[in-house]
Each structure stands twice: as C-alpha cells, then as structure tokens.
Amino acid sequence: MNTTRSLSKPKTSLSPPVSRRGRLHAADLILPVSLGLWALGVKQTDATALGLFGLPDRLPIIFYAGVALLVISAAIELAGQHVSRWRMSMHAAAFVVVLYGTAPLVYSQGRYSWLYKTVGIVQYVNAHGQLSRHIDIYQNWPGFFAFAAWFGKVAGVASPLAYAKWSQLVFELAALPLLYLAYDALSLTVRQRWVALLLYSAGNWIGQDYFSPQALGTVLCLGIMAIVLRWLYVGNSSGQRRPSQAARDYRTSQRELSPPRRRSAVFCAIIIFVFFVLTFTHELSPYILAIQLGALAVAGLLRPRWLPVALMAIAVGYLLPRFSFVNSHFGLLASIGKFFSNAAPPTASEAPSFPGQQLIERCEEALSLGMWGLALVGAWLRRKSGRTVLTLLLLAFSSIAVLAAGAYGNEGILRVYLFSLPWSVALAASALAPVRTLSQAETGRLPDSVTSTFQRTKFPRGTLRIPLVIGVVLVLFFPAFFGDDSYNVMSKTEVSTVTSFMQKARSGPVYWATDNAPMSDTARYNLFPVAAIFGSSGTMGRAPVKSDIADVLARAAESYSAGMEPIYVLVTPSMITYNEAYGFTPNSSFTILLASLARSRAWKLVVRRDGTVIYELPPTRASHGPWVPGPIANFQVP
C-alpha cells in the first residue's frame, strides 16, 4: 500500500464555518451595560426641584456614562466588517428608550402645558360623543382626538393623563421602521441607514411627539413617504451596490419606466386613504407633505405625477368649509407672503432675560443649523449619485416653501425643521459613513471568501467620525429638549388641584398670571376661557404692577361679564418659573398681585394648595354700573 502519496495530499478542514450570527460581538456586552448604567442613573435622579436649566443638571454622572457607552457600542458595531441588522435594531431602539423614555420615568406628570389641552378635547369627546367646530381650531381637525377617545374606551382608561406622558416614547419608536423602509428604498448603504436613524432620534428636539395630533400626523407622513419611495419612486441606486445582472436590468427598467399601472393604482389608493386620515388629523402636515411630493413629481422622481395635485386638492377641500373660522382666529390671509417674519422662531417676540434660557435657545439653533449644514456636506460628497442626492435635497428643503403662506403661530420654522429632519439626517449619514470602496459598500452582501479579499482593516478610516458627531449632537440635544423642563413639567399636586377646580367650579373666565399651567384637561375646558395678566399680550402688559391691581382686574372683569358669571384669577408655581425664565414681568409682580387679591373685598380665595392659588370674583345679578376705564381682557378658549 502506497502511503506516501496519501500523506502528501493537502489537508482539508472538515469543520463547518462559524456563522457570523453566532459570533459574540463587543456590542453584546457593552449594550446591556450601557442600559444598566442608564437605568441606575434614572433611579438616582431627583426631579422634584428642577433649576432653570431643567433636567440636564439633575441627571447624575452615571446616567451620562450610560449614554456615552451606548454611543460607543453603536459605533463599534457600525465599524465592524459586518453590520448586524438585529444588533443595530437593538441600538436604535435603545437610543429612543434612553432619550425619550427618561422623562416619563423621572416625572410623575406629562411634559408641556399644552399637553393638557389635548387631554381636555379627548375628554370632551368622551363626554359628548361628538365635537363642536365652533369651540376652537382643534375640534375642526378631530382625527387624533376621536382615535384617542376610542382607545381610552377600549383600554378602559378614565383619562388620557394615565398614559399621555409615554406618548413621546411610543411615537418615536413607531417612526423607526418607517424611516428604515424609506432609507432602504433609497441608495443608502446599511451603515448609512443606521447612522441616519441614530441622528434622527438624537436631533429631534422639537417635541412634536407629545400626546398630540402633530405626533400622529408625523407618523402618518412617514408612512406615506415610505410607500412612495418604496413603490412609486423613480430614482437610481447607481454606485452603491453591485447586484446581479438580473437585478441591474430590473433597476434600469425602473429608472426608465414608471411603475406598473396596476401596482401604481393600488398604492395610490392606499396613499390617498392615509392622506385623508392625515388631513382631518393635523392642520399643517398635509400641505408640507404635498409640497415635498410635488417637488419630487416636478423633478420627474415620482410617478404618477398627478398624485401630489390630488393630495393638495384633498387638503384644500377640507380647509375651505373651515377657512372662515381659521382666518378670523389666526389671521391666515394676513401672513401670506411675509416669509421672513413667518420664519422667525417662537421666542423672537420675547427677549429672555435669564442667561440660562439664552443658552438653551442657542443649543436649539446650533443643533438645527448644524444638522442642515452637515446635510449639505453630505449632499456635496454624494453629488455624483444623481437622482438620489436630488431626492434627499428636495425632501429636506422643499418644506421651506410653507413659510411663504403663514407663520403657524410662530412655529412654522419648527415644523420645517421637523419635516426636513428625516432627509437631512440621511444626507448627514452620507458624510459620516461615505462609500469609499467596494469592500465597504458590499460587506454585507458578498460571500466570506470574497469579503476577506476586500476587507483590509477591521475599523475603516474615519470610524471615529460617527461617535464624535453623535456625541456633539447629544450634547446639544439634552439642553434643547430637556432644558425647559423647569416650567414644562408641572407637579402632581398642581395638576390635580387645577383639574379638580375645573371639574367642580362654576364655569367662568379665568385670568391666569401667564399662559403656562395644566389647564383645560377636562371635558369642561371650553367653559373656562382664559386671558393672561402679564406679558406682551397680557391684560396688564409690561407696565409696572401697582398695589391696586386686584381692583383694576375686578372692574375689568365685571365690565366683561356684566356680573352674570364668576371670574377667577389663577397663579401656579409653573407660571412663576416660566416668568423667571423669560422675564415677562418682574418676579415681584406675582407677590404684589397675590397681596392685592388677599386685601381686596371683591375677590374670594377658593383654592390654596402647595403654591397653587385661585381667587374668585363672585357673580352679581347686575353690573355695578357703567364701565370704568381700564384694561379689558380678551378671554379665549385656550
């Protein structure tokens, strides 16, 4: 037997290759540790007494250590040879939980005074089974409130206050899969998609995702855009992947021909239905979405081109019967064409006196402008990608056109940033994770034998860009998003006190010191129209407060009501904190007001609890006489 020949044969390994899914990644250890540190930091946070910098300066070091470790974990996973989709899904979800789950864990109540208005409308629907278009603008767009009322009955919840504080977390989590579908339809690499998702979560400081129509409207808009980009988009993906010949032929046909008519008709019908729901859910979102899709259609990137026209017709058709109400209350026609004044931020009319508030606003501006600037850098780097970069640029910046039509309560520029953000971060991701070689673009799609040929380093050059930029974004995000919580968050006692008052008190107008309180969270919210005392739009304006302010308010109140209904004055701790941040009036004005009310024989103290004070001017059967010159409040349903 010749054994020499057999011994000379090369040895062949019979052991099966190790699956990449079975390998232990560094993120498998770092991610749970980071979440553990975050959870421990949340547990140690004392948010009962926030300073003028809000929540950020109350969070312990261990909290920020957990956030930093989470960024490092995501960066390591993104820098590896193969990006694991399920691991990055865990990181993206963890990002949202850390950024938007912290507040509902450390606060007993929801954030923002305007949250309580949406709660009140839902309660109104529950109590009356319908809405009244003549009460306020919100009841003219009832989609969200009807849905929330239905959900409350199905869940057996008496009031949305029981769950409303979790809305930001829920809506931000719901946005992730929709964004991923949209990015997958564009020629973004796997790394770019995940970087874009992380940037979206870290850059969304607007706070539109509270319990509100805007939150649901944003999710509906992302859903429509995902359908459009995935099935009606006529773009290109050249230079990003090396697919099979059949796939290249198919994509070439997709670039040259419009989508099949039957498939196009089905998805157009779905889009029109969802858009109709969006139209009676939120006032502004349908128009911005129609403008974005119209820009794609004009550029030849959307088929059929008539779709944006049809969507705009639906939005305008819904507005026309309500136009008189909207224009009379919000001066819609008066703001048309005033682009630069419409683009002014909400705080432009008020000059904050506290330096901390100015710092918070600078962080908001830096985060917004920085994201747009990074998007332009990404667009330049991707300038050779043809229609893809054009698509992202149109989606990111076409929404600016809405500012020519109105200011949207001085929040138009915030809505522009919100609708720009999903596409701005996609361009920014192109700058942070560019495609430099075939190995980096094809890592997740080539066999291991081919991948090993192209992969030269475990961590490609520029790996540190991603965690550094995300770190800077987070540094700006925390003060921009949480910095105003000193007055955006009301205590449980304040909320329960005001809620109990509105449920039991006789209906009547309310003077509130400033427009920041947990008002209007009951079904009776429309029975208590309000007017501010202090501030540029307040009854007393910015004039120095005198010791007889209670008598001045009493005379004005009787002239307004003819003595036929009670009128109230409300002062809460959140109002005082709000004034300290913006300086609407000297802090001593609150002391003078309360002292004057206590001395006055006209006003009766009805509530005093942990800083919340309510005085009542009891009704008389007839007015005490003709009107005495003085400030007359313009009471309105909040």
Side-chain angles (χ1 to χ4, degrees):
M1 183 175 182
N2 188 355
T3 58
T4 306
R5 192 177 185 86
S6 63
L7 291 174
S8 64
K9 291 181 180 180
K11 296 182 179 180
T12 303
S13 175
L14 298 178
S15 59
V18 179
S19 172
R20 291 198 301 268
R21 294 186 179 181
R23 295 174 183 172
L24 186 65
H25 290 209
D28 297 337
L29 300 176
I30 301 177
L31 177 59
V33 172
S34 67
L35 291 177
L37 293 176
W38 163 77
L40 186 58
V42 168
K43 184 178 181 180
Q44 295 179 358
T45 301
D46 180 11
T48 55
L50 299 179
L52 293 179
F53 289 98
L55 183 63
D57 63 347
R58 304 295 295 178
L59 295 171
I61 295 297
I62 194 172
F63 175 93
Y64 292 109
V67 175
L69 206 57
L70 177 59
V71 175
I72 294 172
S73 178
I76 292 175
E77 182 62 31
L78 288 169
Q81 292 183 354
H82 304 283
V83 178
S84 170
R85 283 181 171 82
W86 75 266
R87 286 186 175 89
M88 284 310 304
S89 298
M90 295 294 292
H91 281 85
F95 241 72
V96 172
V97 170
V98 167
L99 298 182
Y100 300 94
T102 297
L105 288 173
V106 300
Y107 299 139
S108 62
Q109 305 298 308
R111 305 166 70 218
Y112 314 124
S113 61
W114 44 92
L115 162 73
Y116 299 92
K117 174 58 179 290
T118 61
V119 171
I121 300 174
V122 175
Q123 295 288 69
Y124 183 95
V125 176
N126 286 329
H128 299 277
Q130 60 183 0
L131 294 109
S132 175
R133 291 172 49 185
H134 303 289
I135 292 179
D136 52 38
I137 190 172
Y138 299 97
Q139 298 211 36
N140 283 269
W141 274 263
F144 170 80
F145 306 108
F147 172 77
W150 168 84
F151 175 80
K153 290 183 178 180
V154 172
V157 179
S159 170
L161 286 177
Y163 61 86
K165 69 175 183 175
W166 294 99
S167 296
Q168 290 187 309
L169 176 61
V170 172
F171 283 117
E172 288 298 321
L173 286 174
L176 292 181
L178 300 175
L179 285 171
Y180 189 88
L181 287 174
Y183 296 153
D184 184 57
L186 299 170
S187 55
L188 296 179
T189 66
V190 173
R191 286 182 176 81
Q192 289 170 350
R193 295 173 210 166
W194 292 115
V195 172
L197 287 176
L198 297 180
L199 286 176
Y200 178 83
S201 300
N204 189 8
W205 63 269
I206 299 297
Q208 91 294 338
D209 42 15
Y210 72 102
F211 185 74
S212 68
Q214 176 70 86
L216 180 59
T218 301
V219 173
L220 293 175
C221 286
L222 291 177
I224 292 175
M225 198 62 73
I227 296 174
V228 167
L229 293 177
R230 198 163 185 86
W231 286 287
L232 301 180
Y233 173 60
V234 186
N236 81 39
S237 56
S238 59
Q240 298 300 319
R241 298 173 181 170
R242 179 173 291 181
S244 63
Q245 182 62 43
R248 289 201 298 271
D249 293 342
Y250 173 76
R251 290 178 181 175
T252 300
S253 66
Q254 289 298 94
R255 293 194 297 268
E256 297 174 352
L257 302 174
S258 60
R261 292 185 178 180
R262 181 176 298 179
R263 187 185 69 177
S264 176
V266 171
F267 287 113
C268 284
I270 295 174
I271 290 171
I272 289 174
F273 172 76
V274 178
F275 187 85
F276 181 75
V277 176
L278 173 66
T279 299
F280 66 83
T281 295
H282 192 246
E283 304 93 330
L284 185 63
S285 299
Y287 299 96
I288 298 182
L289 180 65
I291 289 172
Q292 290 176 317
L293 296 181
L296 294 183
V298 170
L301 299 169
L302 172 64
R303 295 289 190 276
R305 292 190 177 184
W306 56 260
L307 180 61
V309 178
L311 299 183
M312 184 64 78
I314 293 173
V316 173
Y318 188 84
L319 173 65
L320 287 178
R322 299 158 179 81
F323 179 80
S324 177
F325 179 91
V326 175
N327 186 53
S328 62
H329 285 73
F330 299 95
L332 187 61
L333 293 178
S335 60
I336 293 179
K338 299 180 180 179
F339 179 86
F340 293 103
S341 60
N342 293 340
T347 56
S349 60
E350 303 286 353
S353 60
F354 185 67
Q357 191 63 36
Q358 297 179 18
L359 175 62
I360 293 170
E361 293 174 7
R362 298 297 85 77
C363 289
E364 297 170 353
E365 295 169 358
L367 182 52
S368 303
L369 296 176
M371 200 63 73
W372 278 333
L374 194 58
L376 294 176
V377 173
W380 173 255
L381 295 177
R382 294 203 62 176
R383 63 189 182 278
K384 295 182 180 180
S385 63
R387 296 182 180 183
T388 299
V389 69
L390 176 60
T391 299
L392 290 173
L393 282 172
L394 289 175
L395 292 176
F397 296 105
S398 60
S399 58
I400 295 176
V402 77
L403 295 177
Y408 194 65
N410 290 117
E411 293 186 356
I413 190 64
L414 302 184
R415 298 301 180 260
V416 168
Y417 176 77
L418 173 63
F419 279 83
S420 169
L421 186 62
W423 322 112
S424 297
V425 296
L427 288 170
S430 300
L432 298 179
V435 178
R436 291 180 291 272
T437 65
L438 177 63
S439 61
Q440 294 175 25
E442 297 288 338
T443 294
R445 296 183 175 268
L446 296 178
D448 288 344
S449 58
V450 180
T451 301
S452 60
T453 302
F454 288 105
Q455 287 286 346
R456 297 182 178 180
T457 59
K458 184 175 181 180
F459 298 103
R461 186 178 61 182
T463 297
L464 291 179
R465 275 200 300 262
I466 295 175
L468 287 177
V469 170
I470 293 178
V472 172
V473 171
L474 288 175
V475 168
L476 297 173
F477 173 84
F478 275 97
F481 190 68
F482 294 110
D484 293 333
D485 281 2
S486 58
Y487 57 82
N488 277 338
V489 178
M490 290 77 177
S491 68
K492 185 175 182 179
T493 301
E494 181 177 342
V495 173
S496 62
T497 300
V498 177
T499 300
S500 177
F501 162 75
M502 294 190 65
Q503 289 173 335
K504 300 175 182 178
R506 291 174 293 179
S507 61
V510 178
Y511 282 106
W512 54 1
T514 60
D515 56 346
N516 189 74
M519 285 281 290
S520 308
D521 62 344
T522 73
R524 306 178 70 220
Y525 81 94
N526 60 304
L527 304 179
F528 295 89
V530 298
I533 298 176
F534 304 123
S536 58
S537 60
T539 301
M540 305 303 298
R542 294 182 177 275
V545 178
K546 297 181 180 179
S547 59
D548 65 342
I549 183 174
D551 295 332
V552 173
L553 291 176
R555 291 195 299 268
E558 285 195 343
S559 298
Y560 176 85
S561 66
M564 300 300 294
E565 58 184 341
I567 294 185
Y568 304 94
V569 172
L570 171 66
V571 180
T572 68
S574 61
M575 295 180 185
I576 298 174
T577 307
Y578 185 48
N579 182 74
E580 290 175 349
Y582 282 97
F584 299 114
T585 186
N587 293 335
S588 58
S589 297
F590 287 82
T591 304
I592 297 173
L593 171 64
L594 293 174
S596 181
L597 289 168
R599 292 193 305 268
S600 175
R601 295 182 178 180
W603 295 94
K604 174 186 176 183
L605 178 66
V606 293
V607 174
R608 182 186 295 276
R609 184 185 180 194
D610 290 347
T612 298
V613 179
I614 303 177
Y615 279 87
E616 177 188 0
L617 182 68
T620 58
R621 294 185 178 180
S623 177
H624 289 169
W627 171 72
V628 178
I632 298 296
N634 182 23
F635 290 98
Q636 295 180 347
V637 176

